[in-house]
Amino acid sequence: MAIRTAVLVPVALLGLVAGAVWWWAVLRLALVPDQAGVLEGAVAAGGWGLSLLPVHVSASRGVTRASRHRRSDGISDPS
């Protein structure tokens, strides 16, 4: 249990820091766009891109034997 906590705390802190930096960049772009630069744009775009990752990427189950063998009527062959 202590090892799990020792790993979880730094990961949670890293997530909080990354989230704070992303919000700083987004708010700076929204509130003072004339003073915001390339760094803020890159951080905001990168964070937005990462937010889409869990929605569009998932673990695949792999190709099963039944899914490789299709019959002509569209039903999977049980072999």
Side-chain angles (χ1 to χ4, degrees):
M1 185 68 172
I3 294 173
R4 182 176 171 191
T5 304
V7 171
L8 186 61
V9 170
V11 170
L13 287 175
L14 180 65
L16 287 173
V17 169
V21 169
W22 183 80
W23 273 108
W24 165 78
V26 168
L27 290 175
R28 188 162 163 89
L29 282 169
L31 299 175
V32 283
D34 54 331
Q35 293 180 0
V38 176
L39 178 64
E40 288 88 351
V43 169
W48 177 78
L50 286 176
S51 71
L52 296 177
L53 193 62
V55 176
H56 298 289
V57 176
S58 63
S60 68
R61 294 180 150 195
V63 176
T64 61
R65 187 175 214 188
S67 66
R68 281 187 295 216
H69 302 291
R70 297 276 179 195
R71 296 184 350 192
S72 62
D73 57 0
I75 299 173
S76 296
D77 188 17
S79 60

